[in-house]
Amino acid sequence: MTMSRSPSPMPGGGWSSPGLNMNSGRSSPVSVNTGPVAWESSKMRYQNSNGHSSFSTQNKAFFGRHIRKLSSSLPRFNTAYTDKEKPSGGHRWIQRVPLIGRIKSIFGRMGRKLKFLLLILLVLLLCTIIFYTTPLVYYWRRSSLGGGGNKFVIILAANVGGGVMEWKGAREWAIERDSVRNKKKYAARWGYDLEIVDMGTKKKYAHEWREGWAKADFIRSTLRKYPKAEWVWWLDLGTYIMEPSYSLQDHIFNDLEKHVYRDINQFNPLKISHPLQDNYLDSNARSLVGDGDINSVNMLLSQDCDGFNLGSFFVRRGEWIDQLLDVWWDPVVYEQKHIEWVHDEQDALAQMYSTQPWVRQHVGFLPQRLINSFPPGACNQNVGPDDQYPPDDPIHYNANDHDFLVSMAGCQAGRDCWGEMYYYREFGYWLNRNPWERFKEDLVAVLWFKLTGQKVKL
């Protein structure tokens, strides 16, 4: 019985199968390829390269997906080496991955809670930057919730049009520029209003060129211009705020009763008799502290070695200040007594304080260094043999205590006004440097000077 078979798939007949001899088939080829047969490749599907059989599970696709995901999150290293000891001259793998890709990779491996926490921190940081770099902080601090800055107005006595008794030179213009810039920054920081008034000569008092007499007139007009203001702070041009981080609320008004003293006997350079003892006066007028209520204090000022000082003082809106300004501005006060009162409006106020009970009951005093420190040498009081002042000196500026404001009062009498303004301007900058400025100037500049011997201002 003959075996039936299909025709040979090879042209000319014949089979290329192992186990069949050369003569099988009718027309087998004369020569057959003796190389490796195609069956070897099929065997390798079931064998690994090491000769062991491969292992396959039913959930092969599940494990494969997770293994691929795990392997894709691992760093990739450059395994191509040109030498057995040294790697090829390529950069590290982290440097070849784009920055955005790196961020996405790190962010993708974070948990949900960590992502949410980072989002909150990013939003808070963005809101803080927007708040402090835009006018929002100014209007916030003006509001009642943010501190009530709209209750305070600063009046700065300038002289835009030139000098009073002589034309201003370069130094006088520089003093005015620095003082105005200092007050503008402070008012903008805490939400206060700033009124710069021109202390030029006026017809009412030009016969003696008494600039100080205009204070009463300017205070009255400022109270009309700012109807929401409760307190007006008058500042002479020769003043400089050394600690702009102090707000008036935190520095004085949030604890006013702690800072104010109403008994002038605590510091009485004018030797004013206090209290008044006339029989027709009531008990408040004959009391050392008036009625004892801090809310009845409508004027705050300091005293220096010569008496009342009005280079820096506060007045509160009300009927009392209206009445005081009317009397203060009376021609009898500013004309008839200008020869007797050397300190002009300051001596006039001292006269009213010593003779008028209604004035004395509403005036409170602040320590001079709280609002009106003097430069060393302005008063010779308490100076030691080595020209040094004791730490508890109540008049002169003390950098260790970070006094709020310095006033160059009386610098025209033998002192250098511009030199003092320049010194305190630079010293105030040094005291209030931010961390970056401290790093540059205290570390980088010092190291550069030690290495090169050259001073550099960064």
Side-chain angles (χ1 to χ4, degrees):
M1 180 177 178
T2 60
M3 183 181 295
S4 63
R5 60 180 180 179
S6 60
S8 174
M10 299 184 62
W15 293 88
S16 177
S17 299
L20 295 179
N21 57 20
M22 298 294 294
N23 297 324
S24 62
R26 293 181 181 179
S27 58
S28 297
V30 177
S31 62
V32 180
N33 187 10
T34 60
V37 296
W39 288 356
E40 296 297 330
S41 62
S42 63
K43 290 181 179 180
M44 295 301 295
R45 298 178 184 177
Y46 303 98
Q47 264 188 332
N48 291 328
S49 59
N50 55 7
H52 299 285
S53 299
S54 62
F55 175 76
S56 176
T57 63
Q58 187 177 359
N59 294 325
K60 182 178 180 180
F62 172 78
F63 287 106
R65 287 196 303 269
H66 285 273
I67 290 173
R68 286 195 299 271
K69 185 182 295 184
L70 178 62
S71 62
S72 63
S73 64
L74 295 175
R76 301 176 182 178
F77 298 93
N78 185 13
T79 57
Y81 292 93
T82 57
D83 195 340
K84 292 184 178 180
E85 300 295 332
K86 298 181 180 179
S88 60
H91 296 285
R92 296 182 59 187
W93 69 274
I94 193 66
Q95 296 176 352
R96 295 202 304 270
V97 179
L99 178 61
I100 297 178
R102 276 182 264 168
I103 295 175
K104 287 183 178 179
S105 177
I106 295 173
F107 192 74
R109 293 194 295 269
M110 292 181 181
R112 183 178 299 177
K113 292 183 179 180
L114 183 57
K115 290 180 182 179
F116 185 71
L117 179 61
L118 289 178
L119 179 61
I120 293 177
L121 292 177
L122 182 62
V123 171
L124 291 176
L125 179 62
L126 184 62
C127 293
T128 303
I129 293 174
I130 294 176
F131 181 75
Y132 284 101
T133 57
T134 62
L136 288 176
V137 63
Y138 173 79
Y139 292 106
W140 165 253
R141 286 174 172 170
R142 285 182 62 82
S143 64
S144 57
L145 295 176
N150 60 346
K151 296 181 180 180
F152 298 90
V153 180
I154 301 173
I155 301 179
L156 179 61
N159 195 342
V160 181
V164 177
M165 299 185 67
E166 60 182 8
W167 291 107
K168 291 197 299 186
R171 288 172 171 258
E172 287 74 21
W173 284 113
I175 291 173
E176 181 173 304
R177 180 188 65 244
D178 291 342
S179 181
V180 170
R181 184 189 298 118
N182 175 249
K183 309 310 183 297
K184 284 183 176 180
K185 288 183 178 180
Y186 182 76
R189 179 170 185 169
W190 295 107
Y192 306 143
D193 290 305
L194 176 63
E195 185 74 10
I196 302 175
V197 297
D198 185 8
M199 298 293 287
T201 57
K202 303 292 183 182
K203 185 176 181 180
K204 293 180 180 179
Y205 48 90
H207 62 288
E208 284 292 325
W209 295 282
R210 302 297 188 184
E211 293 176 271
W213 293 108
K215 292 180 179 179
D217 200 18
F218 283 125
I219 291 173
R220 192 195 308 274
S221 62
T222 300
L223 289 172
R224 289 195 300 264
K225 183 176 180 179
Y226 299 95
K228 294 183 179 180
E230 180 181 355
W231 287 94
V232 173
W233 184 22
W234 178 278
L235 287 174
D236 283 350
L237 185 63
T239 57
Y240 199 86
I241 298 174
M242 300 296 293
E243 298 292 339
S245 60
Y246 298 173
S247 67
L248 294 178
Q249 297 93 313
D250 294 335
H251 187 54
I252 300 174
F253 291 94
N254 288 347
D255 199 1
L256 191 61
E257 190 169 4
K258 174 184 176 182
H259 301 297
V260 175
Y261 65 94
R262 303 176 73 170
D263 182 6
I264 196 174
N265 294 318
Q266 294 187 22
F267 183 67
N268 193 0
L270 295 177
K271 308 301 181 184
I272 296 176
S273 178
H274 183 76
L276 296 172
Q277 297 296 334
D278 299 295
N279 294 329
Y280 62 87
L281 299 176
D282 59 12
S283 58
N284 292 337
R286 289 182 291 179
S287 172
L288 290 172
V289 295
D291 59 1
D293 185 7
I294 194 63
N295 294 318
S296 66
V297 176
N298 296 315
M299 187 173 191
L300 298 171
L301 69 151
S302 62
Q303 299 184 87
D304 57 30
C305 49
D306 292 327
F308 289 10
N309 188 290
L310 297 180
S312 172
F313 68 96
F314 296 87
V315 295
R316 191 205 300 259
R317 178 190 297 274
E319 296 181 358
W320 182 87
I321 191 61
D322 292 337
Q323 184 177 357
L324 178 68
L325 294 176
D326 286 338
V327 177
W328 206 359
W329 191 239
D330 191 276
V332 175
V333 177
Y334 75 83
E335 280 190 6
Q336 304 301 325
K337 290 288 187 177
H338 66 270
I339 297 177
E340 180 180 347
W341 293 335
V342 180
H343 296 96
D344 309 326
E345 79 286 356
Q346 296 177 164
D347 288 342
L349 180 63
Q351 175 68 19
M352 288 188 290
Y353 179 87
S354 59
T355 59
Q356 303 298 321
W358 66 273
V359 174
R360 185 177 301 200
Q361 293 181 55
H362 297 277
V363 174
F365 299 96
L366 294 170
Q368 183 175 354
R369 285 175 49 193
L370 196 69
I371 61 169
N372 199 19
S373 299
F374 275 4
C379 285
N380 292 325
Q381 181 176 335
N382 298 330
V383 64
D386 54 352
D387 295 334
Q388 297 295 324
Y389 295 92
D392 58 346
D393 177 52
I395 295 175
H396 298 93
Y397 177 78
N398 190 329
N400 295 327
D401 293 338
H402 293 272
D403 291 347
F404 176 52
L405 180 140
V406 62
S407 173
M408 279 66 77
C411 63
Q412 300 88 350
R415 305 201 325 261
D416 184 2
C417 296
W418 163 242
E420 291 181 357
M421 176 63 74
Y422 177 80
Y423 170 78
Y424 286 107
R425 184 196 71 184
E426 295 297 312
F427 189 58
Y429 164 78
W430 186 84
L431 288 175
N432 296 279
R433 293 174 300 169
N434 56 43
W436 173 244
E437 292 170 339
R438 292 176 183 270
F439 171 76
K440 291 191 302 180
E441 298 175 3
D442 293 346
L443 181 60
V444 178
V446 173
L447 290 176
W448 181 262
F449 176 74
K450 290 183 177 180
L451 293 174
T452 64
Q454 296 178 354
K455 292 184 178 181
V456 60
K457 188 174 183 179
L458 302 175

